[in-house]
């Protein structure tokens, strides 16, 4: 018995409605008859399966997928396995058709297309893809590569006679250089040359390659500078960590914000806490946090202030710039300590942590004291300020053994009716190779400011220099005066190199006179 006979005998097997025997979801009324292997492998069944496979390759199958998937009455539906396979095949066919529609909708006329090939249901009848399902990667044409791989022989050329082509051929090298641009860093945009037969000469390729490397290094430097350096009104992660530790330890109550910015540092205002490492030291209610910038642009011309200072000479090294910045902060701490011990009005040092210096705040209620250049003083107050500064310069030179080296109206504050000195990180000792030059510059700045301010008793720079230093340099003009100063510095430097100690010429036989009102 073949499959046709079984299908034809099914309607007459028993009573029941006619539609029940034809419906694929109805249960069979008679017991299914087992078929032999020869019946299953019959020629008629093989032709039907072949017909299904052929119909699956044409669009009509997709259109017909919306209708019923059983078109004839001569198909055996008595086997549950056969029904399950037919249902699964029909579902897979509809699913793949939907994927094809999605591909065509998304890709459109774009040169770059996507494929859902990996998501399709793979079956024997659908193993071969149609023409519109070819992957774009298989049809992509790379103009930079030859259709067939060619190898350069050991002798360095191919061909004979006029058709000889060497490895230095302009066309070959140009295409190779264009293909090698893909090896540049991803940040370097080389453009899309697909579809264009580009040929780059060796000179152009080498220039692009060098530029790509330079841009990559510059990008790395900018990133490192941003991460490891303080900027204006901002701090780097390491500095923030230091500030957080000070607040968490109770040394500082809170940090309110930035109050001043400069070439070498940023100053923040903070309220002091109660905890401190030294139990005898009392933290002031308001503090000033001076954060020295870790960028080195501001310190290129400032190494002369520290490399010749005997206190830091042995520790100075250009090979480690971050140590220079920490030494700069440490130098200001030591100079402020000397000034505080001598009774000179200046900020009180609280603590130093690497390049962060915490001092007392000169001002009140988060408002810093004004600079001397910004405040308007009466004639009496201006005269009082002049004599006070003259006295402080003499104390600084005689008792502290220091020269401010950057003294001007910008580094002097007016608070509580008196002048306060700030910014002494560049201060040096008088025995510094340029100490007397720095002192003469300070005297010039102070003298010019108070002479413009209307102080009649203000000395000129040469008289002020002799009054502060105790030296008696008698020169008729400024050029000869500076020449004698340089001669004294040169004599002292030669003596240091020969004997290893400083001369005592910078101090007079007696103490320098103290000027007062």
């Amino acid at each position: 018995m073949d499959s046709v006979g079984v299908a034809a005998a099914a309607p007459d097997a028993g009573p029941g409605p006619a539609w029940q025997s034809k419906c694929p979801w109805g249960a069979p009324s008679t017991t299914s008859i087992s078929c032999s292997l020869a019946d299953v492998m019959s020629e008629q069944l093989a032709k039907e399966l072949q017909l299904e496979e052929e119909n699956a390759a044409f669009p009509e199958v997709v259109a017909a997928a919306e209708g019923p998937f059983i078109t004839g009455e001569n198909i055996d539906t008595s086997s549950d396995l056969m029904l399950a396979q037919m249902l699964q095949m029909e579902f897979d066919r509809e699913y793949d058709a939907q994927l094809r529609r999605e591909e065509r909708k998304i890709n459109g006329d774009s040169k770059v297309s996507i494929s859902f090939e990996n998501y399709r249901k793979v079956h024997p009848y659908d193993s071969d893809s149609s023409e519109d399902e070819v992957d774009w990667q298989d049809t992509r044409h790379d103009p930079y590569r030859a259709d067939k791989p060619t190898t350069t022989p050991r002798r360095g050329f191919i061909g004979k006679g006029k058709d000889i082509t060497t490895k230095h051929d302009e066309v070959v090298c140009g295409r190779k250089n264009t293909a090698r641009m893909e090896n540049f860093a991803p940040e370097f945009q080389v453009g899309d040359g697909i579809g264009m037969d580009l040929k780059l000469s060796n000179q152009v390729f080498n220039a692009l390659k060098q530029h790509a490397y330079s841009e990559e290094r510059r990008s790395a430097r900018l990133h490192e500078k941003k991460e490891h350096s303080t900027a204006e009104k901002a701090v780097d992660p390491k500095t923030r960590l230091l500030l957080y530790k000070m607040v968490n330890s109770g040394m500082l109550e809170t940090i309110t914000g930035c109050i001043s910015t400069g070439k070498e540092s940023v100053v923040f205002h903070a309220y002091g806490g109660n905890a401190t490492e030294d139990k005898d030291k009392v933290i002031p209610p308001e503090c000033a946090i001076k954060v020295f910038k870790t960028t080195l642009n501001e310190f290129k011309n400032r190494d002369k202030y520290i490399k010749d200072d005997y206190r830091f000479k042995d520790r100075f090294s250009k090979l480690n710039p971050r140590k220079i910045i920490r030494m700069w902060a440490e130098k200001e701490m030591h100079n402020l300590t000397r000034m505080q011990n001598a009774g000179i009005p200046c900020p009180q040092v609280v603590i130093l942590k690497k390049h962060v210096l915490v001092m007392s705040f000169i001002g009140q209620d988060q408002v810093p004291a004004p600079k001397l250049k910004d405040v308007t003083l009466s004639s009496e107050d201006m005269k009082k300020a002049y004599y006070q500064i003259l006295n402080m310069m003499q104390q600084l030179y005689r008792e502290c053994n220091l020269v401010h080296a950057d003294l001007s109206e910008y580094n002097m504050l007016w608070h509580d009716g008196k002048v306060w000195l700030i910014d002494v990180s560049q201060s040096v000792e008088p025995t510094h190779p340029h100490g007397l030059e720095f002192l003469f510059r300070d005297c010039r700045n102070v003298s010019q400011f108070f002479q413009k301010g209307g102080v009649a008793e203000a000395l000129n720079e040469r008289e002020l220099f002799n009054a502060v230093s105790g030296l008696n340099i008698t020169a008729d003009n400024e050029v000869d005066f500076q020449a004698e100063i340089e001669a004294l510095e040169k004599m002292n430097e030669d003596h240091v190199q020969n004997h290893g100690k400083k001369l005592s010429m910078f101090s007079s036989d007696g103490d320098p006179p103290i000027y007062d009102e």
Side-chain angles (χ1 to χ4, degrees):
M1 178 184 294
D2 56 1
S3 58
V4 178
V6 175
D12 301 330
W19 60 268
Q20 185 175 4
S21 59
K22 297 182 179 181
C23 181
W25 307 107
S29 57
T30 58
T31 306
S32 60
I33 304 175
S34 60
C35 301
S36 63
L37 180 62
D39 295 336
V40 175
M41 300 302 296
S42 63
E43 183 178 357
Q44 184 178 0
L45 182 59
K47 290 181 179 180
E48 293 177 357
L49 294 177
Q50 180 66 25
L51 182 60
E52 291 181 2
E53 293 180 1
E54 292 177 355
N55 294 333
F58 295 95
E60 287 77 4
V61 176
V62 178
E66 300 177 356
F69 60 90
I70 295 180
T71 58
E73 299 180 357
N74 57 349
I75 299 178
D76 183 13
T77 58
S78 59
S79 174
D80 294 339
L81 177 61
M82 180 63 69
L83 287 174
Q85 291 178 348
M86 293 171 63
L87 289 172
Q88 185 64 42
M89 290 174 61
E90 185 67 19
F91 173 78
D92 295 344
R93 194 178 306 153
E94 294 177 358
Y95 180 79
D96 292 347
Q98 179 65 24
L99 288 182
R100 294 190 195 97
R101 288 192 294 269
E102 291 292 334
E103 284 184 7
R104 287 193 293 268
K105 179 180 179 181
I106 295 176
N107 294 333
D109 297 334
S110 176
K111 295 181 179 179
V112 180
S113 59
I114 65 172
S115 174
F116 294 146
E117 186 70 26
N118 295 334
Y119 299 97
R120 294 177 183 170
K121 305 297 183 180
V122 181
H123 292 282
Y125 76 94
D126 199 23
S127 59
D128 296 332
S129 300
S130 59
E131 295 181 358
D132 58 341
E133 299 174 16
V134 180
D135 190 2
W136 66 274
Q137 294 181 352
D138 298 333
T139 60
R140 181 188 178 194
H141 174 63
D142 191 350
Y144 308 140
R145 299 178 183 176
D147 296 335
K148 296 182 180 180
T150 58
T151 58
T152 303
R154 292 185 178 181
R155 60 178 181 267
F157 64 90
I158 56 176
K160 296 180 180 180
K162 297 181 179 179
D163 298 332
I164 189 172
T165 302
T166 65
K167 62 180 180 180
H168 302 292
D169 183 70
E170 182 178 0
V171 176
V172 175
C173 290
R175 288 174 177 170
K176 286 184 179 180
N177 291 337
T178 306
R180 288 163 61 187
M181 286 197 305
E182 298 179 358
N183 299 329
F184 290 167
E187 296 82 7
F188 187 77
Q189 303 295 335
V190 297
D192 186 7
I194 299 298
M196 296 179 289
D197 190 9
L198 300 179
K199 306 178 186 65
L200 293 181
S201 63
N202 292 337
Q203 182 179 3
V204 174
F205 174 76
N206 291 333
L208 289 175
K209 181 179 178 181
Q210 185 64 32
H211 181 67
Y213 289 163
S214 301
E215 287 295 314
E216 187 176 2
R217 290 193 299 268
R218 187 181 70 87
S219 178
R221 287 196 302 269
L222 290 177
H223 178 73
E224 183 180 2
K225 181 178 180 181
K226 181 179 179 181
E227 291 294 326
H228 301 285
S229 65
T230 55
E232 187 173 353
K233 298 184 181 180
V235 292
D236 61 346
K238 291 185 178 180
T239 306
R240 284 198 297 269
L241 183 60
L242 291 175
L243 299 179
Y244 290 154
K245 287 183 178 180
M246 292 181 183
V247 175
N248 293 336
S249 63
M251 182 179 302
L252 299 177
E253 182 67 24
T254 181
I255 301 175
T256 57
C258 178
I259 58 176
S260 176
T261 59
K263 295 183 296 183
E264 64 182 27
S265 62
V266 181
V267 183
F268 296 90
H269 175 272
Y271 287 104
N274 299 322
T276 179
E277 297 178 356
D278 189 359
K279 297 182 180 180
D280 298 333
K281 182 176 292 186
V282 179
I283 300 178
E286 292 185 90
C287 298
I289 306 174
K290 189 171 185 178
V291 180
F292 288 85
K293 293 182 179 180
T294 53
T295 50
L296 304 178
N297 297 331
E298 293 80 10
F299 291 88
K300 290 181 179 179
N301 300 325
R302 297 206 163 217
D303 55 351
K304 61 182 180 181
Y305 293 95
I306 194 170
K307 70 177 182 180
D308 294 322
D309 195 328
Y310 79 94
R311 297 175 294 175
F312 306 94
K313 189 174 183 179
D314 297 335
R315 297 163 52 190
F316 178 79
S317 174
K318 283 188 176 181
L319 299 179
N320 195 339
R322 281 190 169 268
K323 286 188 177 181
I324 301 178
I325 300 168
R326 294 183 184 180
M327 290 167 59
W328 198 264
E330 182 181 349
K331 186 179 180 182
E332 178 158 7
M333 181 195 69
H334 289 306
N335 293 340
L336 286 175
T337 303
R338 286 191 186 185
M339 295 170 61
Q340 184 178 351
N341 294 335
I344 298 177
C346 65
Q348 175 187 354
V349 177
V350 177
I351 193 173
L352 172 66
K353 291 291 186 180
K354 295 183 179 180
H355 61 284
V356 178
L357 179 62
V358 182
M359 307 171 290
S360 60
F361 179 70
I362 308 300
Q364 188 176 5
D365 297 334
Q366 303 184 28
V367 180
K371 297 178 182 179
L372 203 59
K373 74 176 186 67
D374 298 329
V375 67
T376 302
L377 300 178
S378 61
S379 57
E380 291 296 328
D381 290 338
M382 185 68 74
K383 183 178 179 181
K384 177 182 177 181
Y386 172 73
Y387 282 107
Q388 182 187 354
I389 292 173
L390 183 57
N391 189 14
M392 286 191 297
M393 292 177 67
Q394 293 174 340
Q395 282 184 282
L396 195 66
Y397 187 91
R398 182 186 64 178
E399 300 179 17
C400 303
N401 196 28
L402 289 175
V403 175
H404 192 283
D406 193 20
L407 188 62
S408 65
E409 62 273 17
Y410 293 89
N411 292 327
M412 293 183 286
L413 304 181
W414 181 260
H415 182 62
D416 289 340
K418 58 182 179 180
V419 179
W420 298 69
L421 294 183
I422 60 172
D423 193 10
V424 294
S425 57
Q426 71 286 330
S427 299
V428 297
E429 294 193 347
T431 53
H432 188 276
H434 304 283
L436 295 181
E437 295 180 22
F438 298 153
L439 178 60
F440 184 73
R441 186 177 62 190
D442 292 346
C443 294
R444 178 190 298 161
N445 295 334
V446 173
S447 178
Q448 291 179 355
F449 174 74
F450 284 100
Q451 285 179 356
K452 292 179 180 179
V455 180
E457 295 82 357
L459 304 175
N460 59 37
E461 56 266 20
R462 286 173 287 173
E463 295 174 348
L464 185 59
F465 179 87
N466 289 331
V468 173
S469 63
L471 300 174
N472 189 16
I473 300 178
T474 57
D476 297 336
N477 53 61
E478 184 177 344
V479 176
D480 296 339
F481 196 90
Q482 291 183 349
E484 292 191 27
I485 292 176
E486 293 177 0
L488 290 175
E489 292 177 342
K490 179 64 176 176
M491 188 184 305
N492 178 71
E493 186 67 21
D494 294 341
H495 185 82
V496 170
Q497 294 179 359
N498 296 331
H499 303 280
K501 59 182 180 180
K502 306 290 183 181
L503 288 176
S504 59
M505 65 176 64
F506 298 108
S507 60
S508 60
D509 296 336
D511 294 335
I514 302 298
Y515 284 79
D516 200 352
E517 297 184 62

